[in-house]
Amino acid sequence: MHRYAQRGRERAGTGAELAFDALYTAHAADLVRQTYLLTGHRQLARRAVDHAFHQAWQRWPEVAVDRDPAGWVRAAAYEYALSPWHRLGRARRRRPAGRGPGQALLTALLSLPESYRRALLLHDGVGLGLPETAAETEASTAATANRLMHARAAVAGLLPELREAPPALRAAVLRRMLGEQAATQHVRTQPAASVRAGSERRTRLWTRASYGLVGLFAVAALLATVLDAAW
């Protein structure tokens, strides 16, 4: 009986690995490109996506039953990339934009407030509907629609190609421009198995560190007790 139970667990584990690997293979490269448009920094985009997939593997039972696993990972990558901890570093490393339509688009995107930029990329870049964009950005539908309207207007003011397009077609033109800009980014991703191994290694390190901290607190409490008794 034990042997059959062990085989069942192995088959389940293999199934989880295959499902994770399929998700990673299908979405990792595109997600790096999207996160680059969100931040303007290639290295940060790669780190954010790696972090998101590490989290996804650590919490795979939850991610596997999510209605949109790719959306779960995307939200985690965007949250990491837009974390206040990275804001100072991004400002310090930012270089003046070069010339050309691609750099002009990126400069226009980075001029937007982060909430506007994220909504614009999700709706006009990724292609989410308005309710889905609102849900992922944790905003109301009305607020999201307002952000999209102002974001498109601001970007159109900086890009002649978009400004000259009829207002009704600007979303489609911007979607094409975002797709073309993302496609220029050559992305090399790790093998999915390496991502899983890195996630498991990180989990082991955090577990050991947690045990170490618990041990230190226990020793400190014991010393405090001994000193109190001595006094």
Side-chain angles (χ1 to χ4, degrees):
M1 181 66 69
H2 173 74
R3 182 171 63 253
Y4 293 120
Q6 179 66 28
R7 288 177 181 174
R9 285 194 294 270
E10 290 174 355
R11 283 196 295 271
T14 300
E17 291 169 358
L18 290 174
F20 175 87
D21 292 359
L23 179 69
Y24 180 85
T25 301
H27 297 284
D30 284 342
L31 187 51
V32 172
R33 296 184 182 100
Q34 295 165 19
T35 311
Y36 169 68
L37 295 179
L38 184 70
T39 63
H41 292 280
R42 294 180 178 85
Q43 291 184 352
L44 177 57
R46 291 191 181 95
R47 287 203 310 273
V49 174
D50 285 346
H51 174 82
F53 275 103
H54 285 161
Q55 278 196 323
W57 182 239
Q58 290 168 11
R59 301 168 62 178
W60 186 248
E62 171 191 342
V63 178
V65 298
D66 192 271
R67 64 179 182 83
D68 182 14
W72 192 101
V73 177
R74 179 176 59 242
Y78 283 14
E79 289 293 335
Y80 180 93
L82 295 178
S83 167
W85 295 102
H86 302 119
R87 192 169 297 153
L88 178 61
R90 291 201 304 271
R92 187 185 304 157
R93 293 191 301 269
R94 184 167 293 167
R95 298 176 181 177
R99 297 180 179 179
Q103 284 297 334
L105 174 60
L106 190 59
T107 300
L109 289 174
L110 294 176
S111 71
L112 299 173
E114 290 179 348
S115 60
Y116 285 45
R117 193 188 322 151
R118 184 173 182 177
L120 189 70
L121 286 172
L122 288 172
H123 190 275
D124 291 352
V126 178
L128 298 187
L130 183 60
E132 291 77 16
T133 301
E136 188 157 323
T137 56
E138 299 182 341
S140 68
T141 303
T144 302
N146 186 63
R147 288 174 181 175
L148 287 170
M149 180 181 67
H150 285 88
R152 289 186 191 125
V155 171
L158 297 173
L159 300 175
E161 181 180 354
L162 193 59
R163 184 170 60 250
E164 294 165 3
L169 298 179
R170 282 180 181 172
V173 173
L174 183 56
R175 183 174 294 114
R176 174 182 58 78
M177 295 175 70
L178 290 170
E180 290 173 351
Q181 176 66 8
T184 64
Q185 303 304 310
H186 300 289
V187 177
R188 290 184 178 180
T189 58
Q190 306 177 59
S194 298
V195 176
R196 285 190 280 103
S199 176
E200 292 165 0
R201 185 164 55 251
R202 179 178 298 184
T203 300
R204 288 194 296 270
L205 289 173
W206 275 108
T207 301
R208 291 170 185 169
S210 298
Y211 285 150
L213 286 174
V214 170
L216 285 175
F217 286 134
V219 170
L222 179 60
L223 286 174
T225 302
V226 170
L227 290 173
D228 286 343
W231 284 98

